[in-house]
Amino acid sequence: MARINDVGGMTGFGPIDTTDDTEPFHADWEARVFALNSALVREGVYNLDEFRDAVETMPPGEYLAASYYERWFHAIRVLLVRKGVVAEGELAEGDLDA
């Protein structure tokens, strides 16, 4: 079964922006999400395969509307609940810039 992230060969998504972006992060919250994910993987809370799966199981509408690091943040929240680190509903989507 194809997931929404697997759009190879599909039409209707428009041209791909191939301009190089030299900035790894465009907002402070993106750097924090990157660091949080790195720490959780390093501590063995989850692995990269589990992380990728959590990103890829986002509902299609949310996935397509989300930025790269918004997808990461979603996956982190999903995995923290799956692993029992936090309870369902304990983490609100909230303001990522806070």
Side-chain angles (χ1 to χ4, degrees):
M1 175 177 77
R3 293 180 176 179
I4 190 59
N5 66 299
D6 186 14
V7 295
M10 292 180 136
T11 59
F13 285 93
I16 296 172
D17 180 4
T18 59
T19 55
D20 283 339
D21 188 353
T22 59
E23 297 297 321
F25 310 109
H26 298 283
D28 289 339
W29 72 265
E30 293 178 339
R32 290 193 295 269
V33 167
F34 180 88
L36 179 59
N37 184 59
S38 298
L40 292 166
V41 169
R42 186 174 45 254
E43 291 298 315
V45 175
Y46 54 79
N47 63 46
L48 290 177
D49 289 333
E50 292 169 311
F51 176 73
R52 186 193 73 245
D53 178 68
V55 169
E56 293 175 359
T57 57
M58 283 183 78
E62 289 178 34
Y63 183 92
L64 293 173
S67 71
Y68 186 73
Y69 287 106
E70 285 171 333
R71 293 174 188 151
W72 279 40
F73 191 53
H74 167 86
I76 291 168
R77 291 191 318 268
V78 165
L79 288 166
L80 290 177
V81 171
R82 275 189 201 167
K83 298 294 184 167
V85 176
V86 297
E88 181 78 40
E90 188 174 348
L91 297 177
E93 298 232 3
D95 182 6
L96 296 176
D97 289 317

